[in-house]
Structure formats: structure tokens, C-alpha cells
Amino acid sequence: MSIQEALQIQREYMQKVRNLVEQSGRVPLALVHTYGCQQNVSDGDKMRGMLAQMGYAFTDEVRKADFILYNTCAVRENAESRVFGNIGALKHEKEVNPNLIIGLCGCMTQQESVVQKIKQSYPQVDIVFGTHALHRLPEFLYTALQDKKVFDRCDDETDIAEGLPVLRTGKWKAWLPIMYGCNNFCTYCIVPYVRGRERSREPEDILQEARSLIQDGYKEITLLGQNVNSYGKTLAQPIRFSQLLQKINAIEGDFRIRFMTSHPKDATHELIDTIAACDKVCKHIHLPVQSGCNRILQAMNRHYTVESYLELAEYARKKIPGVSFTSDIIVGFPGESYEEFQQTLELIKIMRYDALFTFIYSSRPGTKAAMMDDPVPYEEKSRWLQELLDLQRKIGENNYQTYVGKTLQVLADGPSRSGPDYISGRTDTNIIVNFKGSRAQIGQFLPVRITEAFNWALGGEIAK
Ligand code: 5AD
Ligand code: SF4
């Protein structure tokens, strides 16, 4: 079946659920809870969009919900444990309200072992489907409304389902997936197994979506993909990511462009030159290095070296004045020694990242690394992580100090915790700034003079 035919069937199911909702004479409430990365957030927005078209409204309260959908993450074990804990707690809710429908989807449920565990131990769950079946939510919900269970992991990697309704969580910032899946098979990572092979969206579909977001008043668009630098390679008419950036940059309007994630092995000088040349592209590069030791990088199957990574960063610092780097680091990859971990600290000292996302290695069944010897105890790895965090805190503080006295363009995006007269926003380099302002200014780009630097944020005042 073609994806167009599949979508037509889903439109019919949407109408069937809508009819049931209308017959019931009340507006049912859905709670969609998303765990994990921005790709999942974007998927969650699509499922909320479909639910809205079927007549559902939304709630954050478990007690009020008619339908609870957990959109799960599998990248680390603690994310999975949290989901199991939360669905365990729903057993009682189901007893109180037998009409409650409970659904699970996302990366966790793309794994057969998880589906089996739910079948055996969590009878309160009504619907289970994987990442490849997202567009079939209407059919699954209709089935559950007929008091039938749904277990549909779906192994086929479907073509990209274009044109699904989207209900975005934010008003100013939008996530725009440009590709799905991943071909890289980093040895620690479950993503290629649960999100399938790399598929790029057609540039025209992406551009059309970007244009309509800008028309709707969005001020920041973040292009999403597991490895944006390999965007477009498999399309019938191949196109490079830098070319896509140029096309989006050429759209008229007052907005900024971000993108994530850049895999260092595919980041090129051409990409850096494009960031430098495109006025709407933020001068911030999230470039996950994972480790500062070549032996570990090789064991991770990352296909770059510390030297090539640093060369690229140096080129970027030369070409893009004030460029900001952030990164992901895994501490305690199987077999990593303390000396090898120290090499990561050395790299961090050279890179002087503005922020780091740090993770203790988590073994994922089915990945290559899960089969490797992992002799270092968790407590030891936690101590290494603390050492890393202490170093990064000093670097971050120093970096933030260099912003004091500068006037930066800040996109005001919400109220601030500093008080009722304060609002909050982000710089081009994605740093949080709190400053005095009114709610009416939220959604605007404002020049803010930075007056203070804190641990995780800056303070400032709107420049006259
Ligand atoms: N254990 C710990 N961290 C992981 N990541 C991915 N897989 C694992 C794992 N098994 C981290 C990587 C990646 C980020 C999104 O999550 O640093 O860049
Ligand atoms: Fe996982 Fe590596 Fe793909 Fe990122 S590039 S999603 S870390 S396999």
C-alpha cells in the first residue's frame, strides 16, 4: 500500500472517531506526554494534531483524561524505567475509570522485548504502537474505543507521511523535521534500531512548511534530524544540507534558523561557510563529540578523530566570530579507562563549550556496545561525571562572563522566574537571558544589554 492510500484510510478512521465523539455529546480529553528528544516532541505535536481533528481537547491531569498516550524514549535505561513506573501507577486510574484508554508509543515500543513485557505485565495498557506506525493513531484509537486491544509495533519502515495535522506546543518556536531515522550505528545507540534507516523529506515539502510557520508568526525554526549533515543524500534529486539552509534562509521574514544534530564526521567547511553567510542561521553549533579519546571514538564507531574535530572547530571559530559550541558527552563507555576519560576533559578545556549534555553510558540491549566488557562500576563513573561537571561549570561561567557588557538580539519567549515584571528569552547562541519587560513583548526580537552572568543564564536590560 502506498503512503497516500494509507493516509486516506487514516482520514476515514479520523472521521469515524469524530462521529463517535459527536454522538457522545461531550468533548473528550487527551493527555499526551512526550519523553526524550525533539524528534519525539515533533511526533507528539503530530499526534496531538490528529487528536484535535478527531474532536479531542487536552489536559495535563491524569484524573481528567479519557485518553492517556505516553510517547516514549529508549535512548537510556532510566528513560524506560520512568515510563514503566508511570504506566504502573495508571493501573489504579484504570480501576477507578474503566473507560480510560491508555496508549504507549515511540522508541521504546518499537522494541519487541518491550511489547512482550507490556503484554505480560501491564494489562491496563490498551494501545501499543512503534515509531513507524505514528500516522495510524486514528485507526488504533477507533479500535480501542470498540473495546479491543492494539499491539502494532509495525516493522515496515513506511515512506514519510506528509500532510499530517500538527498541533504545536509553542507559539514562537517550531520544530521542523527534515529527515527521519539514522544510518550511523554508533555502537552504544539504540536509535537506528527503533527509528529505522535514514529518510529525507523533499526540500519543497520542508520549504512549504517553513513558509507557513513564518506566516503563522513563528520566530524560530529548528531543523531536526539525527544527522542533518547527511540530509538529502538519498533523494531522487540529491541536495546538500547547506543548500537547504540557504533556501530557508532566503525566505522573507523576521525569524531565525537552528538545526540539530550535526554529526562531526559529516560536518564540512562548506557547512561552516554557509552558517557564516546566512544571516538568519544562528551562530551556534551543537556538535556532539561523545569522547575526547581516539580509541574510544573508534570503539563507538564515530568515524572522526579528536584532531579532525578540533580542526573543524578551529575553522568555525575563524569564519564565524563569536560562534558558540555545545556538545554531548558519554562518560564510562565500556572499557574506557580513567586516563582515557581524562582525554575528554582535555578536549573540553580546548573547546570551551557553552554547555554540555552529559550522560553516563547506559547499556542498550541489541547494540554492539552492550556486548562489550564494562568493568568500571557505576559509582566510579558517577565520580568521573562529577569531575567533568565541575570543570564545565567553571568553563561555562567564564564564557558567560564574556557576554557582560554586550548587546545581543534576544528572542523573548516567555515569562521569567525572576518575577512578574521580568521576561525570558534566548540569544542567537541559545543562552537564556532574563530581563525586565512586559508580557506584550513576548514573541519579539529585542536588543538586550547583558549586565550579569549567572551559572546557567544571563541577566540584562532592554537596550534603548
Ligand atoms: N548511553 C548514554 N548516552 C547515550 N546517548 C545515546 N545513547 C546513549 C547510551 N546508550 C547520548 C549521546 C547522544 C545523546 C542524544 O544521547 O550522547 O548524542
Ligand atoms: Fe545514535 Fe549515532 Fe545515530 Fe546519533 S548518529 S542517533 S548517536 S547512531
Side-chain angles (χ1 to χ4, degrees):
M1 192 187 331
S2 76
I3 188 74
Q4 276 76 19
E5 287 164 329
L7 286 175
Q8 182 52 38
I9 292 172
Q10 292 310 312
R11 276 190 283 275
E12 287 160 19
Y13 276 111
M14 256 193 232
Q15 190 54 49
K16 284 185 182 177
V17 176
R18 220 195 142 82
N19 292 344
L20 290 179
V21 167
E22 279 166 9
Q23 280 160 23
S24 77
R26 63 181 276 276
V27 176
L29 296 177
L31 187 164
V32 180
H33 187 92
T34 292
Y35 301 79
C37 69
Q38 307 315 336
Q39 182 63 59
N40 247 21
V41 173
S42 168
D43 286 353
D45 287 350
K46 285 185 187 140
M47 291 188 279
R48 281 159 31 86
M50 288 187 267
L51 285 164
Q53 286 216 346
M54 290 185 275
Y56 278 72
F58 297 92
T59 178
D60 290 331
E61 291 179 54
V62 166
R63 284 276 147 85
K64 291 192 177 155
D66 299 279
F67 177 40
I68 296 177
L69 182 60
Y70 287 148
N71 182 23
T72 64
C73 167
V75 88
R76 279 171 295 275
E77 193 184 356
N78 57 6
E80 291 200 350
S81 313
R82 245 185 319 145
V83 171
F84 281 121
N86 287 351
I87 48 175
L90 289 182
K91 191 168 184 186
H92 173 71
E93 302 302 325
K94 186 90 174 186
E95 281 159 10
V96 177
N97 173 15
N99 290 328
L100 172 65
I101 295 176
I102 299 172
L104 276 188
C105 63
C107 290
M108 246 174 102
T109 47
Q110 192 62 44
Q111 303 167 93
E112 186 55 37
S113 57
V114 173
V115 177
Q116 289 311 325
K117 182 168 169 179
I118 292 161
K119 264 189 190 167
Q120 276 158 19
S121 312
Y122 296 88
Q124 64 272 40
V125 176
D126 303 286
I127 305 176
V128 178
F129 60 100
T131 54
H132 302 320
L134 172 153
H135 61 286
R136 289 172 60 199
L137 173 64
E139 171 190 345
F140 299 150
L141 184 56
Y142 181 76
T143 310
L145 286 166
Q146 313 297 313
D147 280 335
K148 289 192 206 119
K149 296 245 176 201
V150 177
F151 289 94
D152 204 323
R153 196 170 59 86
C154 177
D155 265 332
D156 306 340
E157 273 162 36
T158 40
D159 291 338
I160 296 171
E162 290 292 348
L164 290 178
V166 184
L167 187 63
R168 292 178 198 273
T169 326
K171 257 172 98 175
W172 317 111
K173 299 181 184 185
W175 310 111
L176 203 173
I178 61 170
M179 60 201 296
Y180 299 93
C182 181
N183 286 355
N184 293 306
F185 290 94
C186 301
T187 53
Y188 51 81
C189 187
I190 194 78
V191 169
Y193 302 92
V194 292
R195 291 232 167 232
R197 294 293 64 73
E198 210 169 272
R199 285 113 47 223
S200 294
R201 292 178 69 192
E202 289 294 337
E204 223 7 87
D205 290 329
I206 297 169
L207 284 167
Q208 204 182 332
E209 190 170 341
R211 281 188 217 106
S212 87
L213 286 169
I214 294 152
Q215 260 173 19
D216 290 345
Y218 283 92
K219 300 287 184 204
E220 186 175 297
I221 296 177
T222 303
L223 309 176
L224 293 179
Q226 301 297 344
N227 176 9
V228 291
N229 297 321
S230 68
Y231 168 76
K233 286 184 180 163
T234 53
L235 289 172
Q237 287 184 317
I239 164 172
R240 291 191 302 284
F241 178 59
S242 50
Q243 294 173 302
L244 180 74
L245 272 182
Q246 285 160 13
K247 283 176 191 282
I248 301 176
N249 191 68
I251 300 174
E252 290 222 356
D254 189 24
F255 68 100
R256 43 162 85 137
I257 305 164
R258 297 189 188 280
F259 56 88
M260 63 196 295
T261 298
S262 262
H263 193 310
K265 82 178 166 68
D266 295 312
T268 57
H269 285 198
E270 188 204 11
L271 172 75
I272 305 293
D273 295 342
T274 306
I275 299 170
C278 290
D279 59 325
K280 292 177 181 123
V281 176
C282 291
K283 309 307 176 215
H284 165 224
I285 310 175
H286 183 61
L287 200 62
V289 71
Q290 313 296 358
S291 164
C293 166
N294 283 335
R295 189 190 75 84
I296 297 294
L297 288 175
Q298 198 174 11
M300 288 176 163
N301 193 33
R302 293 289 289 178
H303 291 283
Y304 54 86
T305 61
V306 172
E307 291 73 24
S308 65
Y309 183 95
L310 289 174
E311 189 281 327
L312 186 78
E314 201 175 316
Y315 183 80
R317 290 206 202 269
K318 223 165 41 206
K319 288 279 167 152
I320 313 169
V323 66
S324 157
F325 285 101
T326 54
S327 196
D328 296 349
I329 306 272
I330 295 178
V331 173
F333 183 81
E336 185 177 31
S337 69
Y338 184 66
E339 288 65 38
E340 287 169 329
F341 163 70
Q342 288 294 317
Q343 294 179 31
T344 299
L345 298 189
E346 290 309 310
L347 177 106
I348 290 172
K349 285 182 201 159
I350 299 173
M351 282 301 297
R352 304 188 317 275
Y353 293 107
D354 271 350
L356 284 180
F357 300 89
T358 53
F359 312 100
I360 292 182
Y361 168 76
S362 168
S363 176
R364 305 286 59 219
T367 61
K368 275 200 176 155
M371 267 123 46
M372 297 177 187
D373 255 4
D374 189 7
V376 178
Y378 189 84
E379 296 67 35
E380 177 79 16
K381 293 182 184 182
S382 302
R383 280 193 290 274
W384 297 3
L385 175 65
Q386 196 50 53
E387 204 177 326
L388 192 162
L389 292 174
D390 290 343
L391 169 67
Q392 179 55 33
R393 194 182 48 249
K394 288 189 201 125
I395 293 172
E397 274 171 17
N398 271 333
N399 287 3
Y400 279 26
Q401 281 297 338
T402 64
Y403 286 96
V404 174
K406 291 186 179 155
T407 297
L408 307 171
Q409 276 298 94
V410 172
L411 172 59
D413 56 15
S416 162
R417 284 196 221 134
S418 305
D421 300 337
Y422 285 79
I423 56 177
S424 177
R426 293 225 181 214
T427 64
D428 180 87
T429 55
N430 213 18
I431 296 174
I432 297 171
V433 190
N434 293 300
F435 53 99
K436 225 172 188 177
S438 72
R439 301 271 159 123
Q441 286 170 309
I442 293 172
Q444 294 176 18
F445 287 105
L446 301 164
V448 176
R449 204 175 69 84
I450 305 304
T451 54
E452 290 173 290
F454 305 103
N455 232 340
W456 300 108
L458 301 171
E461 56 197 20
I462 297 175
K464 295 283 172 304

